[in-house]
Amino acid sequence: MLTVVPMTGAHAADVLRIYQIGLDGGDATFETAVPSWEEWSRVRLPEHRFVAVRDGAAVLGWIAVSPVSDRCVYAGVVEHSVYVDPAARGQGVGLALLRALIESTERAGIWTIQSGIFPENTASLALHQKAGFRVAGVRERIGKHHGRWRDVVHLERRSPHIR
Protein backbone atom coordinates (compact mmCIF):
# COMPACT_ATOMS: atom_id res chain seq x y z
CA MET A 1 0.00 0.00 0.00
CA LEU A 2 1.28 3.44 -0.97
CA THR A 3 1.34 6.04 1.80
CA VAL A 4 2.40 9.69 1.73
CA VAL A 5 3.86 10.93 5.01
CA PRO A 6 5.65 14.08 6.18
CA MET A 7 9.35 13.99 5.40
CA THR A 8 11.79 13.85 8.30
CA GLY A 9 15.54 13.68 8.67
CA ALA A 10 15.19 9.91 8.83
CA HIS A 11 14.34 10.02 5.11
CA ALA A 12 17.42 12.07 4.18
CA ALA A 13 19.51 9.30 2.63
CA ASP A 14 16.67 8.06 0.42
CA VAL A 15 15.64 11.59 -0.59
CA LEU A 16 19.17 12.51 -1.62
CA ARG A 17 19.65 9.14 -3.37
CA ILE A 18 16.53 9.68 -5.49
CA TYR A 19 17.60 13.27 -6.16
CA GLN A 20 20.99 12.01 -7.40
CA ILE A 21 19.26 9.60 -9.78
CA GLY A 22 17.29 12.55 -11.18
CA LEU A 23 20.47 14.57 -11.65
CA ASP A 24 22.18 11.63 -13.34
CA GLY A 25 19.31 11.34 -15.83
CA GLY A 26 20.04 14.84 -17.15
CA ASP A 27 16.46 16.04 -17.68
CA ALA A 28 15.29 16.85 -14.16
CA THR A 29 17.14 19.99 -13.07
CA PHE A 30 19.94 22.43 -13.83
CA GLU A 31 21.64 21.27 -10.63
CA THR A 32 24.69 19.08 -11.17
CA ALA A 33 25.52 17.97 -7.62
CA VAL A 34 23.36 16.88 -4.71
CA PRO A 35 23.92 19.12 -1.68
CA SER A 36 24.30 17.97 1.89
CA TRP A 37 21.07 17.25 3.77
CA GLU A 38 21.57 20.40 5.83
CA GLU A 39 21.93 22.56 2.73
CA TRP A 40 19.01 20.83 0.98
CA SER A 41 16.82 21.24 4.04
CA ARG A 42 17.74 24.88 4.67
CA VAL A 43 16.07 26.13 1.46
CA ARG A 44 12.88 24.06 1.62
CA LEU A 45 9.84 24.75 3.77
CA PRO A 46 9.59 22.02 6.44
CA GLU A 47 5.79 21.99 6.59
CA HIS A 48 5.43 21.11 2.89
CA ARG A 49 7.80 18.14 2.46
CA PHE A 50 6.47 14.66 1.87
CA VAL A 51 7.72 11.21 0.96
CA ALA A 52 5.84 8.29 -0.55
CA VAL A 53 6.50 4.90 1.00
CA ARG A 54 5.10 1.45 0.34
CA ASP A 55 4.35 -0.75 3.34
CA GLY A 56 6.53 1.48 5.54
CA ALA A 57 9.60 0.50 3.51
CA ALA A 58 12.06 2.62 1.54
CA VAL A 59 11.11 5.97 0.08
CA LEU A 60 9.64 5.74 -3.44
CA GLY A 61 9.58 9.46 -4.11
CA TRP A 62 9.53 12.88 -2.53
CA ILE A 63 8.15 16.39 -2.97
CA ALA A 64 9.15 19.68 -1.36
CA VAL A 65 8.73 23.42 -1.88
CA SER A 66 10.83 26.54 -1.59
CA PRO A 67 9.55 30.10 -1.36
CA VAL A 68 10.01 31.99 -4.64
CA SER A 69 10.86 35.24 -2.88
CA ASP A 70 11.13 36.76 0.56
CA ARG A 71 9.02 39.75 -0.57
CA CYS A 72 5.67 39.77 1.24
CA VAL A 73 3.64 39.99 -1.98
CA TYR A 74 4.92 36.54 -2.93
CA ALA A 75 4.17 34.94 0.46
CA GLY A 76 1.63 32.61 -1.17
CA VAL A 77 3.82 31.45 -4.05
CA VAL A 78 6.14 28.45 -3.85
CA GLU A 79 8.22 26.46 -6.29
CA HIS A 80 8.20 22.72 -5.93
CA SER A 81 10.27 19.73 -6.92
CA VAL A 82 9.01 16.17 -7.18
CA TYR A 83 11.21 13.12 -7.75
CA VAL A 84 10.24 9.47 -8.06
CA ASP A 85 12.57 6.49 -7.86
CA PRO A 86 12.77 4.92 -11.36
CA ALA A 87 11.66 1.57 -9.93
CA ALA A 88 8.40 3.19 -8.77
CA ARG A 89 7.54 5.25 -11.84
CA GLY A 90 4.14 4.69 -13.44
CA GLN A 91 2.64 3.53 -10.13
CA GLY A 92 0.88 6.74 -9.05
CA VAL A 93 3.65 7.92 -6.73
CA GLY A 94 4.10 11.33 -8.34
CA LEU A 95 0.37 12.05 -8.41
CA ALA A 96 -0.04 11.01 -4.77
CA LEU A 97 2.81 13.34 -3.79
CA LEU A 98 1.37 16.25 -5.78
CA ARG A 99 -2.05 15.75 -4.21
CA ALA A 100 -0.55 15.76 -0.71
CA LEU A 101 1.37 18.94 -1.51
CA ILE A 102 -1.70 20.66 -2.94
CA GLU A 103 -3.71 19.81 0.16
CA SER A 104 -0.93 21.01 2.46
CA THR A 105 -0.33 24.29 0.65
CA GLU A 106 -4.05 25.06 0.36
CA ARG A 107 -4.44 24.64 4.13
CA ALA A 108 -1.54 27.06 4.59
CA GLY A 109 -3.04 29.74 2.33
CA ILE A 110 -0.55 29.29 -0.51
CA TRP A 111 -2.26 30.33 -3.73
CA THR A 112 0.30 29.36 -6.38
CA ILE A 113 2.56 26.34 -6.79
CA GLN A 114 4.96 26.64 -9.69
CA SER A 115 7.70 24.59 -11.29
CA GLY A 116 10.08 24.67 -14.22
CA ILE A 117 10.42 21.47 -16.24
CA PHE A 118 12.64 20.67 -19.20
CA PRO A 119 10.43 20.04 -22.27
CA GLU A 120 12.16 16.68 -22.78
CA ASN A 121 10.73 15.51 -19.44
CA THR A 122 7.40 14.59 -21.00
CA ALA A 123 6.37 12.26 -18.16
CA SER A 124 6.68 15.08 -15.62
CA LEU A 125 4.80 17.50 -17.86
CA ALA A 126 1.93 15.00 -18.25
CA LEU A 127 1.88 14.31 -14.51
CA HIS A 128 1.62 17.99 -13.67
CA GLN A 129 -1.15 18.62 -16.15
CA LYS A 130 -3.04 15.65 -14.70
CA ALA A 131 -2.69 17.28 -11.26
CA GLY A 132 -4.20 20.56 -12.45
CA PHE A 133 -1.10 22.53 -13.41
CA ARG A 134 -1.15 24.62 -16.56
CA VAL A 135 1.64 25.72 -18.84
CA ALA A 136 2.23 29.42 -18.20
CA GLY A 137 4.95 29.72 -20.81
CA VAL A 138 8.30 28.52 -22.06
CA ARG A 139 11.51 30.22 -21.04
CA GLU A 140 13.70 29.68 -24.08
CA ARG A 141 17.42 29.09 -23.69
CA ILE A 142 17.15 30.17 -20.05
CA GLY A 143 20.35 28.43 -18.95
CA LYS A 144 23.18 26.17 -19.97
CA HIS A 145 23.20 22.62 -18.71
CA HIS A 146 26.13 20.34 -19.47
CA GLY A 147 27.30 22.79 -22.12
CA ARG A 148 24.04 23.25 -24.01
CA TRP A 149 21.24 25.79 -23.79
CA ARG A 150 18.03 24.45 -22.28
CA ASP A 151 14.45 25.63 -22.44
CA VAL A 152 12.23 25.36 -19.38
CA VAL A 153 8.45 24.97 -19.42
CA HIS A 154 6.99 27.09 -16.63
CA LEU A 155 3.98 25.41 -14.99
CA GLU A 156 1.73 26.70 -12.27
CA ARG A 157 -1.31 25.72 -10.29
CA ARG A 158 -3.47 28.48 -8.87
CA SER A 159 -5.68 27.55 -5.97
CA PRO A 160 -9.37 27.73 -6.88
CA HIS A 161 -10.13 28.30 -3.18
CA ILE A 162 -7.80 31.15 -2.25
CA ARG A 163 -8.81 34.47 -3.73
Side-chain angles (χ1 to χ4, degrees):
M1 173 153 194
L2 178 70
T3 307
V4 176
V5 298
M7 183 189 300
T8 69
H11 300 116
D14 283 334
V15 167
L16 296 180
R17 175 185 59 78
I18 292 168
Y19 192 29
Q20 183 66 59
I21 293 168
L23 269 63
D24 293 345
D27 284 332
T29 178
F30 279 109
E31 299 299 328
T32 57
V34 172
S36 68
W37 176 252
E38 293 74 22
E39 190 177 342
W40 184 95
S41 189
R42 182 177 46 79
V43 298
R44 289 168 178 83
L45 299 175
E47 62 274 21
H48 305 294
R49 301 177 190 176
F50 299 95
V51 293
V53 296
R54 179 162 288 123
D55 301 323
V59 173
L60 303 175
W62 61 267
I63 195 164
V65 300
S66 302
V68 298
S69 175
D70 60 359
R71 295 179 62 200
C72 64
V73 298
Y74 296 111
V77 183
V78 294
E79 183 165 9
H80 84 287
S81 297
V82 59
Y83 286 80
V84 176
D85 188 304
R89 290 184 185 151
Q91 300 175 29
V93 173
L95 189 58
L97 288 164
L98 278 167
R99 287 179 175 156
L101 179 69
I102 290 166
E103 181 181 323
S104 169
T105 55
E106 294 248 329
R107 279 194 321 266
I110 292 172
W111 57 83
T112 300
I113 305 169
Q114 66 182 36
S115 189
I117 300 173
F118 292 137
E120 297 83 1
N121 195 342
T122 56
S124 186
L125 290 169
L127 167 67
H128 283 81
Q129 290 180 330
K130 186 174 184 177
F133 285 74
R134 71 175 188 88
V135 173
V138 176
R139 301 179 78 190
E140 296 177 357
R141 296 173 41 96
I142 194 68
K144 279 192 173 182
H145 183 243
H146 298 299
R148 71 178 177 113
W149 288 104
R150 300 293 298 263
D151 295 347
V152 172
V153 179
H154 179 77
L155 294 130
E156 67 178 18
R157 181 192 180 276
R158 287 292 308 246
S159 170
H161 310 292
I162 301 168
R163 305 239 177 236

